[in-house]
């Protein structure tokens, strides 16, 4: 597989993923708005109890009410308003940040196709990706799930995204070095 | 930059135009301009050799060290 084919596939995947994220944002927002007006329609909708797989976490779970649900699934219509707004806003913010990360990555791919790999814009793109990943880590830190018979709040740090952020910052430094070498080569007569 | 290029002075002494020199030594006018304005970060030996040959001078005539930046 030559370089251009690989870049074209990566570019296509970036575009596809961006469309997918945009669709998820629209659908989630539509459901969220509809949920405010007609909660009863969602009586049959159930979700799994939230679980965190991060090795660094602290969580508290409370089973409240007359009939604690135990290990059963959670009814969407039982979702309390504060927790619902919190989870919705957090989810949308993370999706938007993912969209921005893919946009920046797409720009890097485009510059590689134009043979401007070590351009200053790529250094900035990788730095932005690093900051976006840090923001996602920050947003994912606190979780608050409150249903009528179930409440769970947890602090957890997503190591994978934190690692991704570190890799993005390292790549930014590598590209900065590359940019310096390119500038030096350009100014060698 | 503390290294100065005396290309303008030598060109004037030789009564030669920049574009003519660029053509003779095989570099672009843009690159010669970078060299003349002191923006260049390095000069290849091959470029220096071509410059000395065309201008009939020594590398020391072209380059000068100055304490002032």
């Amino acid at each position: 597989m030559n370089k251009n084919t690989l870049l074209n596939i990566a570019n296509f995947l970036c575009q596809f993923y961006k469309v997918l994220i945009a669709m998820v944002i629209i659908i989630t927002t539509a459901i969220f708005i509809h949920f405010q007006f007609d909660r009863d329609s969602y009586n049959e909708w159930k979700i799994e109890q939230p679980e965190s797989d991060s090795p660094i976490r602290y969580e508290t779970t409370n089973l409240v009410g007359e009939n604690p649900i135990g290990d059963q699934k959670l009814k969407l219509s039982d979702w309390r308003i504060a927790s619902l707004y919190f989870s919705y806003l957090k989810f949308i913010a993370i999706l938007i940040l993912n969209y921005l990360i893919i946009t920046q990555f797409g720009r890097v791919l485009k510059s590689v196709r134009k043979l401007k790999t070590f351009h200053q814009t790529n250094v900035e793109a990788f730095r932005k990706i690093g900051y976006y990943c840090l923001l996602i880590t920050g947003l994912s830190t606190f979780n608050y799930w409150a249903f009528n018979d179930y409440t769970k709040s947890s602090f957890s740090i997503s190591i994978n995204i934190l690692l991704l952020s570190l890799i993005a910052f390292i790549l930014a430094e590598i590209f900065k070095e590359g940019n310096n070498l390119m500038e030096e080569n350009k100014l060698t007569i | 930059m503390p290294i100065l290029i005396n290309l303008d002075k030598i060109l004037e002494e030789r009564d030669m135009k920049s574009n003519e020199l660029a053509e003779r030594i095989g570099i672009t006018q843009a690159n010669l301009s970078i060299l003349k304005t002191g923006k260049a970060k390095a000069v290849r030996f091959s470029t220096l050799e071509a410059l000395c040959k065309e201008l009939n001078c020594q590398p020391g005539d072209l380059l000068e060290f100055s304490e002032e930046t």
Side-chain angles (χ1 to χ4, degrees), chain A residues 8-25:
Chain A
N8 284 338
I9 292 170
N11 192 45
F12 171 76
L13 286 175
C14 278
Q15 298 301 325
F16 175 75
Y17 207 60
K18 274 165 78 175
V19 172
L20 200 71
I21 289 174
M23 278 168 67
V24 171
I25 290 175

Side-chain angles (χ1 to χ4, degrees), chain A residues 104 107-127 171-183 186:
Chain A
Q104 293 300 328
R107 279 183 191 164
V108 173
L109 288 178
K110 203 173 167 185
S111 73
V112 174
R113 284 167 76 183
K114 283 182 180 173
L115 302 175
K116 289 179 177 174
T117 311
F118 292 110
H119 207 264
Q120 181 64 23
T121 50
N122 285 349
V123 179
E124 282 152 21
F126 276 114
R127 277 208 191 117
L171 277 174
E173 285 305 306
I174 292 170
F175 272 69
K176 193 178 159 191
E177 275 301 309
N179 181 254
N180 285 343
L181 287 172
M182 192 193 78
E183 287 290 321
K186 214 187 326 182

